[in-house]
């Protein structure tokens, strides 16, 4: 049986063209995300369309955030320490001026609280707490 000769240059060129076409199709087919609101576009920095203009919003810093408790004992339930945020002597209101989310807050180890500014406040602060074995 005779082996068929393969033109390696042609094969490499065809592979390159196929790859180029695949990349261009993937680039073209990415949706443009229609219907995004201002609050969706600004989510990462905690802003919202109903808040003040960007320059006049006050930043929430780590020193402005305090937790009600920093050490817990493991009991199988989620731990959610209370969060107090004071900016410039004013105590901010949860869900109006800032939002709170908790991570790794059930098992023993290091849990975290993430505070994001809303409305007239901007920024994102992470505070940690411990869950000790029972």
């Amino acid at each position: 049986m005779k082996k068929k000769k393969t033109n390696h240059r042609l094969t490499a060129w065809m592979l390159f063209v196929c790859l180029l076409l695949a990349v261009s199709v993937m680039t073209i087919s990415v949706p443009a995300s229609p219907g995004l609101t201002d609050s969706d576009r600004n989510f990462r920095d905690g802003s919202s369309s109903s808040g003040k203009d960007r320059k006049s919003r006050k930043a929430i810093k780590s020193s402005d955030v305090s937790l009600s408790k920093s050490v817990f004992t493991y009991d199988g339930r989620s731990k959610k320490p209370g969060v107090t945020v004071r900016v410039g002597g004013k105590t901010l209101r949860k869900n109006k001026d800032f939002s709170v989310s908790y991570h790794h807050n059930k098992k023993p180890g290091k849990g975290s609280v993430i505070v994001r500014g809303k409305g007239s406040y901007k920024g994102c602060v992470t505070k940690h707490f411990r869950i000790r074995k029972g």
Side-chain angles (χ1 to χ4, degrees):
M1 212 183 211
K2 203 173 185 183
K3 273 191 170 182
K4 190 175 179 183
K5 283 189 174 182
T6 307
N7 186 342
H8 293 290
R9 286 185 193 162
L10 182 60
T11 305
W13 180 251
M14 286 174 38
L15 182 63
F16 174 74
V17 170
C18 288
L19 182 63
L20 191 61
L21 283 172
V23 169
S24 65
V25 167
M26 288 184 341
T27 305
I28 292 170
S29 66
V30 173
S33 301
L36 285 180
T37 64
D38 287 339
S39 60
D40 294 332
R41 286 187 196 98
N42 298 325
F43 177 73
R44 285 194 176 163
D45 68 354
S47 66
S48 74
S49 58
S50 63
K52 291 184 178 178
D53 128 320
R54 277 185 173 229
K55 291 181 182 178
S56 64
R57 292 187 313 146
K58 295 178 183 172
I60 296 176
K61 297 176 268 180
S62 184
S63 59
D64 299 330
V65 179
S66 61
L67 301 179
S68 62
K69 195 172 177 182
S70 61
V71 180
F72 294 89
T73 302
Y74 174 73
D75 63 3
R77 288 185 259 149
S78 295
K79 305 301 175 201
K80 293 186 177 184
V83 177
T84 302
V85 181
R86 288 194 179 104
V87 176
K90 179 183 176 186
T91 302
L92 306 187
R93 291 182 292 181
K94 183 178 174 182
N95 298 326
K96 183 184 184 310
D97 299 320
F98 67 93
S99 64
V100 179
S101 59
Y102 298 90
H103 298 279
H104 307 290
N105 62 330
K106 192 169 184 176
K107 295 181 182 178
K110 186 162 107 175
S112 51
V113 178
I114 299 173
V115 176
R116 292 184 192 276
K118 291 174 74 173
S120 300
Y121 299 91
K122 65 181 179 178
C124 182
V125 173
T126 302
K127 289 286 190 172
H128 298 282
F129 60 93
R130 288 214 112 5
I131 301 175
R132 293 187 179 158
K133 292 182 181 179

